């Protein structure tokens, strides 16, 4: 009996050692940190003068490399980030943003659409990353078990594929994707899929009406109020898209653009914040070398777009 118990203890010890070793490698290679949030992991700078919020259109749409030696810049955007989390991140890092700074708030076609955030099918997986960025009181449906897994035992909630890729240091990060160029023959198919994902899936009610999130409207008004309180200058931006993307929306939902601009114009009227729409900009919409897919700029495109904003909106880089 003693030998049997000893064997069990040895097996438990081995399994524990293996698990902890895998977890150590996983953390060491930073796989527990989503590639999107590595900027946060490296530290949000003080006295930010120019920054942006937004979803993936903001994450991939801004490239500050030509001005970051002169200005302190930061990209607060994350893939699939909602306006609600834009606001929570702003709340947490407001003291990092300098008075008289410029804050770009990216408004995408889907920004105000869909059910409540917690009703989203991928809410749990997206919400986990904020355990790395925000204090518990700013995390939607905070759970201490998730906190423990994300921050201390991330390998236990990783998929087998992610676990293997990371331990082998094969992680595909933002920079790998950001350097790609859009494939012209595939742009039409990609745009059709993006159209479905952005303004159709889970965004139409049983009566065929588009669903608008009140919590998104509340969040953007709260952001503007807070930015004005700290003396920052908010600016609304819609990033450039390939023509395939805007055409897919126009052809499949011809009424959408009038609805979208009606909503945005109402917010602009109520907040007195300027809005700049580059979604149909001729300098971008047919240049595949500036995009990684139909609706996301690549590194080269983001650099060009950011420099355009600096000249045309802020009057820099003259």
């Amino acid at each position: 009996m003693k030998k049997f118990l000893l064997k069990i203890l040895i097996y438990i010890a081995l399994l524990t050692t293996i698990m902890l070793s895998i977890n150590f490698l996983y953390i060491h290679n930073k796989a527990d940190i989503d590639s999107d949030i590595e900027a946060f992991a490296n530290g949000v700078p003080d006295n930010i003068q120019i920054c942006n919020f937004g979803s993936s259109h903001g994450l991939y749409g801004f490239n500050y490399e030509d001005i970051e030696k002169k200005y302190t810049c930061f990209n607060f955007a994350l893939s699939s980030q909602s306006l609600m989390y834009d606001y929570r991140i702003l709340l947490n890092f407001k003291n990092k943003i300098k008075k008289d700074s410029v804050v770009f708030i990216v408004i995408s076609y889907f920004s105000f659409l869909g059910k409540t955030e917690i009703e989203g099918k991928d809410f749990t997986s997206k919400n986990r990353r904020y355990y790395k960025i925000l204090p518990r009181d700013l995390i939607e449906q905070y759970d201490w078990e998730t906190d423990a897994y994300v921050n201390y035992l991330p390998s236990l909630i990783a998929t087998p594929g992610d676990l293997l890729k990371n331990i082998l240091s094969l992680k595909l990060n933002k920079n790998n994707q950001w350097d790609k160029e859009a494939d012209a023959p595939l742009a039409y198919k990609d745009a059709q899929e993006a159209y479905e994902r952005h303004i159709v899936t889970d965004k139409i009610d049983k009566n065929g009406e588009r669903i608008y999130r009140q919590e998104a409207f509340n969040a953007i008004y709260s952001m503007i109020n807070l930015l004005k309180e700290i003396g920052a200058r908010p600016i609304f931006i819609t990033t450039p898209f390939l023509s395939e993307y805007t055409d897919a929306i126009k052809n499949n939902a011809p009424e959408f653009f009038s609805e979208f601009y009606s909503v945005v114009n109402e917010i602009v009227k109520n907040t007195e914040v300027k809005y700049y729409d580059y979604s149909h900009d001729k300098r971008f919409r047919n240049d595949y070398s500036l995009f990684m897919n139909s609706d996301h700029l690549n590194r080269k495109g983001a650099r060009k777009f950011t420099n355009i904003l600096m000249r045309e909106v802020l009057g820099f880089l003259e």
Side-chain angles (χ1 to χ4, degrees), residues 114-178:
K115 302 174 183 178
T116 62
E117 184 152 49
I118 62 174
E119 292 180 286
K121 293 179 180 177
D122 54 353
F123 167 74
T124 301
S125 60
K126 288 192 301 184
N127 202 50
R128 284 174 182 159
R129 60 191 172 180
Y130 296 107
Y131 286 78
K132 288 283 185 183
I133 301 173
L134 298 174
R136 64 182 64 184
D137 59 306
L138 291 178
I139 296 174
E140 183 71 51
Q141 294 194 335
Y142 173 83
D143 174 68
W144 70 267
E145 289 183 281
T146 302
D147 195 341
Y149 282 129
V150 170
N151 288 297
Y152 303 105
L153 292 169
S155 64
L156 296 184
I157 56 174
T159 65
D162 286 341
L163 193 63
L164 180 61
K165 284 191 295 184
N166 193 263
I167 290 175
L168 296 176
S169 299
L170 297 175
K171 184 179 63 170
L172 179 66
N173 59 29
K174 171 190 170 182
N175 291 332
N176 297 133
Q177 301 177 65
W178 213 22

Side-chain angles (χ1 to χ4, degrees), residues 32-49:
D32 59 310
I33 301 176
D34 188 300
S35 61
D36 289 357
I37 68 171
E38 286 180 358
F40 289 90
N42 294 331
V44 178
D46 295 318
N47 299 313
I48 295 171
Q49 296 166 283

Side-chain angles (χ1 to χ4, degrees), residues 9 106 229:
L9 290 174
V106 175
E229 283 179 18

Side-chain angles (χ1 to χ4, degrees), residues 236-258:
F236 296 138
I237 290 287
T238 298
T239 58
F241 304 127
L242 280 175
S243 59
E244 282 85 350
Y245 179 67
T246 52
D247 287 349
I249 295 174
K250 180 180 178 180
N251 294 334
N252 289 288
E255 78 293 344
F256 175 77
F257 285 118
S258 62

